[in-house]
Amino acid sequence: MAISSFNLPRPPLLPTPPDPDVVRSLLRLSREISLCEPPMSLQNRNFSSIARKSKLLAAFFEELLRDPAPALPRSTSLCLKEILLVFQRFKALLADCSTRSRMRLLLQSESVANEFHELTLDLSTLLDILPLAEIDVGEDVRDLVDLVRRQCRRSVASVDPAEAALRGEILDIIREIEREIVPDRSKLEAVFERLGLDDSRSCRTEIESLEREIGDRVAEKWTASMIALVGLVRYAKCVLYGASTPRSESAGKFSFSATDLAIPADFRCPISLELIRDPVVVATGQTYDRESISRWIASGHATCPKTGQALAHTNLIPNRGLKNLISQWCREQHVPFDGAEPGNGGEANAVSANKAALEAARMTASFLVQKLAASPSTEAANRVVHELRQLAKSGSDNRAFVADAGAIPLLLPLFRSEDQGLQVNAVTALLNLSILEANKKRIMHADGGVDGIIDVMASAATWRAKENAAATILSLSSIHAYRRRLGRNPRVIEQLVSLIKAGPTSTKKDALAAILSLAGDRENISRLVEGGVVEAALETVGAVEVAAEAVAVLAAVAKRGGAEAVGQADGSVSKLVRVLRRGTDWARESAAAALVQVCRRAGGSAVAELAATPGIEWVIWELMGSGTERARRKAATLGRICRRWAAALEADRTARFSALTITAATTTTVAQS
């Protein structure tokens, strides 16, 4: 039985723009494309070719629009819509070329030429099937369309010989650097001028573009070459155009692009102070970068660097949730991020394995240190130190190169500079260098090294300089021997306590972190107590932003012999209980740990005050149900302490009552006798 075609389901009709809108869009796009400028001297041929063709076709589209509502044959209408798609792809390709780094555009010149060629062939095909005979346009316009058709048909994928030669010269320079040959200055200058990288600013922009492209993995085939080119451009910028003038906000600790970024505290590794690339959780629940905590454990440490608590095991559990958050933040901030799992390498490993990038960094470090030694003015020195700080901001190799070149003894005298920018840059450069373990030794043994850092904490003109000096103390104290040596210096503790009391939030955080690290050694506890650390920490417990760090300090001091000092401090128990009620998970855990130590070692007065606190039973019960694993254990211990105290009080009351009863009975018997 035949089925009527009228009963068959019809496909949905997709909305399509009317012919006049299509033609107007084609006219607009053709005009825009005809005005596109090539990115400096690159892709001139392809840009010029498509610009000429677009300009010729614009006359055709204008002719079509002479009629306000042209009635085009269906085949013509469909063909114009396909041409519109090709023009949109041309515009996207031109925009992409204009936003790429110049070095990457040069490296990919062949593939870009192929993209232009393929689109040109698509346009040629559409012009071939365009039914010009059915369209009411003049002969001159038909001739223009026919000219463009023939030009498209003759198109070949080709790279400008000048561009090919320039790419060859750059790759030759990279190979020379791999062989540790310093590039010829005149040759380097000629290459960079042809690229349009003719000043410090353009070089800095190129570095930022390359780093962003590496982080976004836009051309993995060329990643190794792009990493090498970052080193080359940075070296050329310094050698050809001098160190950059620091930007107004460039005095921060670490930066990942043109300006320093405020890295969220949760995204910064407590050990390296850098952005966490591969977050892992240790037994105490704290999160670190895998590389940093692995190195910490491998060096013989059996404690959590942040809390000072003994690690029940050394298993490292990936924190995938935090990793996703960091990755998202990096994308939003245009920060290169490699979230590779262990064994996959990553950007830092790629740099380490890249001979050209390493040698370029070594040459840059050597050049800058020589410039710093010969800097005739404060302004010149500030530019050089800023470059050194930028170079040392990431990568162990870079930090080693800068220190090997002799930067540390040259940075220390600059701590006394009256120029605020130079002072901050010098301190921050030293902080960045101190992250490398070998450089810690250099700093600790440098003439005036520790004293210079202390002087900055005491008398620097800016809080940023003081804050970074405190962070340097934190970095240095990660080595056990240096922790003791720093703890024996009364000026270190004195200035850290001063920063805790008077500094802004970020400065307080770094000072408290440094104190917490010093408190990891029992030998330092008495000096910390004498230096007023307990009182300073208790003063800041009420500030939400730093409460967790302050309570962690109190817990560390109490654990290693300072429990009596914490318990005897005015208001210590009530302030710790307040944190138990409303603190963060880490703060509540530390407060519970501190209270346990105080109750055990500071005498009955602390236990009595704790037990007498209204609602303490509920606070302890709630912490046992919702706190971290360690907090639940400490809360259970506090609960037992309170119950034993209550039982002892009850037993004492009963004993006293029994004694009074016996005494009264005895008195009555005597009286009756």
Side-chain angles (χ1 to χ4, degrees):
M1 178 178 178
I3 300 177
S4 171
S5 61
F6 292 103
N7 295 328
L8 294 175
R10 296 184 178 183
L13 296 176
L14 298 177
T16 58
D19 292 338
D21 291 344
V22 172
V23 178
R24 276 191 286 271
S25 296
L26 280 167
L27 178 59
R28 175 178 53 80
L29 278 174
S30 61
R31 286 173 174 172
E32 290 176 359
I33 291 172
S34 67
L35 297 174
C36 282
E37 294 290 335
M40 298 307 296
S41 60
L42 303 178
Q43 294 296 329
N44 272 332
R45 286 189 175 184
N46 288 317
F47 268 70
S48 300
S49 175
I50 187 57
R52 287 192 300 268
K53 293 178 176 66
S54 297
K55 191 172 184 179
L56 293 174
L57 289 176
F60 170 55
F61 303 137
E62 285 178 355
E63 182 75 8
L64 291 178
L65 285 175
R66 287 181 183 275
D67 184 350
L72 300 174
R74 177 173 173 78
S75 58
T76 303
S77 178
L78 292 174
C79 193
L80 289 177
K81 289 172 183 175
E82 292 298 322
I83 292 174
L84 177 60
L85 293 176
V86 172
F87 268 71
Q88 290 170 340
R89 290 163 61 195
F90 263 124
K91 185 181 178 182
L93 177 57
L94 294 171
D96 181 50
C97 290
S98 298
T99 56
R100 293 187 196 189
S101 65
R102 297 175 195 181
M103 291 291 190
R104 179 165 76 98
L105 187 58
L106 189 63
L107 288 175
Q108 296 178 313
S109 54
E110 291 180 357
S111 63
V112 171
N114 285 329
E115 290 184 66
F116 273 103
H117 176 60
E118 290 172 5
L119 286 176
T120 303
L121 291 181
D122 289 344
L123 180 59
S124 172
T125 301
L126 292 171
L127 292 177
D128 281 338
I129 64 175
L130 180 68
L132 274 178
E134 301 177 10
I135 306 174
D136 184 19
V137 293
E139 286 297 325
D140 55 339
V141 174
R142 294 175 190 271
D143 291 342
L144 289 177
V145 175
D146 187 60
L147 174 63
V148 174
R149 178 193 294 139
R150 284 184 278 112
Q151 289 176 346
C152 290
R153 197 178 295 157
R154 294 196 301 267
S155 172
V156 294
S158 63
V159 177
D160 190 325
E163 290 184 32
L166 181 59
R167 183 176 68 170
E169 291 179 44
I170 291 175
L171 295 178
D172 284 343
I173 293 174
I174 293 295
R175 284 189 283 269
E176 286 181 355
I177 292 175
E178 286 179 342
R179 298 197 302 271
E180 303 181 25
I181 300 173
V182 178
D184 179 75
R185 183 186 176 112
S186 59
K187 180 180 178 181
L188 197 64
E189 187 172 11
V191 166
F192 272 66
E193 283 183 358
R194 285 156 62 192
L195 273 169
L197 302 175
D198 51 7
D199 58 22
S200 182
R201 175 173 293 183
S202 60
C203 288
R204 184 169 57 196
T205 301
E206 179 71 5
I207 291 170
E208 293 165 6
S209 296
L210 281 167
E211 288 181 336
R212 183 171 58 252
E213 290 166 350
I214 292 168
D216 291 343
R217 298 177 178 274
V218 295
E220 295 200 40
K221 174 184 175 182
W222 295 100
T223 296
S225 297
M226 290 164 66
I227 291 172
L229 287 169
V230 169
L232 173 62
V233 177
R234 183 174 285 119
Y235 172 77
K237 176 172 74 74
C238 296
V239 172
L240 299 178
Y241 313 119
S244 304
T245 301
R247 299 183 181 181
S248 58
E249 294 300 322
S250 63
K253 286 180 195 168
F254 303 101
S255 61
F256 295 85
S257 58
T259 57
D260 288 306
L261 298 172
I263 306 171
D266 291 340
F267 294 176
R268 203 197 311 171
C269 177
I271 299 175
S272 69
L273 306 180
E274 290 187 309
L275 184 71
I276 297 175
R277 300 286 173 174
D278 186 11
V280 292
V281 180
V282 298
T284 59
Q286 301 299 322
T287 298
Y288 300 92
D289 187 75
R290 182 183 294 274
E291 181 182 356
S292 298
I293 192 63
S294 296
R295 191 164 53 242
W296 169 271
I297 294 172
S299 64
H301 295 95
T303 57
C304 173
K306 190 170 183 178
T307 66
Q309 181 185 357
L311 295 173
H313 57 77
T314 57
N315 298 334
L316 303 178
I317 303 170
N319 190 338
R320 300 187 188 281
L322 179 60
K323 189 176 193 176
N324 292 334
L325 292 174
I326 294 174
S327 177
Q328 179 181 350
W329 180 83
C330 287
R331 285 195 300 272
E332 293 170 353
Q333 301 295 332
H334 304 295
V335 173
F337 175 75
D338 191 333
E341 295 295 337
N344 286 354
E347 185 184 343
N349 290 338
V351 174
S352 298
N354 194 308
K355 176 69 172 174
L358 288 177
E359 289 305 322
R362 191 195 306 275
M363 292 175 185
T364 304
S366 178
F367 176 83
L368 289 172
V369 171
Q370 291 175 17
K371 278 289 186 182
L372 180 59
S375 293
S377 66
T378 297
E379 182 182 356
N382 193 24
R383 289 199 299 269
V384 174
V385 173
H386 173 258
E387 289 289 349
L388 287 170
R389 177 180 71 80
Q390 291 292 96
L391 186 61
K393 73 183 179 182
S394 63
S396 299
D397 295 311
N398 289 350
R399 296 181 184 113
F401 296 152
V402 172
D404 290 343
I408 291 173
L410 297 175
L411 290 172
L412 293 174
L414 303 180
F415 287 8
R416 300 188 295 272
S417 173
E418 295 181 359
D419 183 276
Q420 295 182 11
L422 177 57
Q423 185 183 58
V424 172
N425 274 317
V427 174
T428 309
L430 191 75
L431 168 59
N432 291 351
L433 292 173
S434 73
I435 295 170
L436 183 66
E437 189 162 328
N439 288 345
K440 298 183 198 297
K441 181 177 181 180
R442 286 186 167 110
I443 296 169
M444 291 296 296
H445 290 83
D447 186 22
V450 174
D451 288 338
I453 298 169
I454 297 171
D455 290 341
V456 171
M457 289 194 294
S459 58
T462 63
W463 284 112
R464 181 56 63 85
K466 294 181 177 183
E467 176 182 323
N468 288 359
T472 306
I473 295 294
L474 168 61
S475 176
L476 296 173
S477 63
S478 65
I479 303 296
H480 184 73
Y482 300 154
R483 185 184 303 159
R484 285 193 171 185
R485 179 176 165 186
L486 291 167
R488 290 171 185 155
N489 190 324
R491 291 186 64 212
V492 171
I493 298 173
E494 175 188 352
Q495 295 307 322
L496 288 174
V497 168
S498 177
L499 296 182
I500 294 171
K501 290 181 176 180
T505 298
S506 58
T507 305
K508 290 178 187 289
K509 279 181 174 288
D510 281 329
L512 285 165
I515 289 289
L516 180 60
S517 181
L518 295 177
D521 193 307
R522 185 177 292 272
E523 183 181 298
N524 291 334
I525 297 301
S526 60
R527 301 185 185 94
L528 293 174
V529 171
E530 292 171 5
V533 165
V534 172
E535 291 76 10
L538 284 171
E539 286 179 18
T540 59
V541 162
V544 176
E545 298 85 353
V546 295
E549 289 82 358
V551 179
V553 166
L554 294 172
V557 170
K559 178 181 178 181
R560 294 178 179 84
E564 290 186 10
V566 175
Q568 292 169 4
D570 186 36
S572 60
V573 173
S574 61
K575 290 179 179 179
L576 289 171
V577 170
R578 199 174 303 133
V579 175
L580 276 186
R581 294 181 190 273
R582 294 187 292 271
T584 63
D585 286 346
W586 178 33
R588 297 169 76 198
E589 176 184 317
S590 298
L595 283 169
V596 168
Q597 295 296 329
V598 167
C599 290
R600 283 176 172 173
R601 303 179 184 179
S605 59
V607 181
E609 184 178 352
L610 176 67
T613 302
I616 188 62
E617 298 87 354
W618 169 262
V619 173
I620 292 174
W621 180 84
E622 196 275 334
L623 186 59
M624 289 175 62
S626 63
T628 64
E629 182 179 350
R630 181 179 180 233
R632 292 197 295 269
R633 293 200 308 270
K634 297 299 179 181
T637 302
L638 283 177
R640 288 194 296 272
I641 290 173
C642 289
R643 287 194 299 272
R644 288 170 183 169
W645 178 261
L649 284 179
E650 184 63 29
D652 184 57
R653 289 195 199 97
T654 302
R656 287 203 304 269
F657 178 77
S658 299
L660 288 172
T661 302
I662 293 171
T663 301
T666 303
T667 302
T668 302
T669 302
V670 171
Q672 290 175 349
S673 300

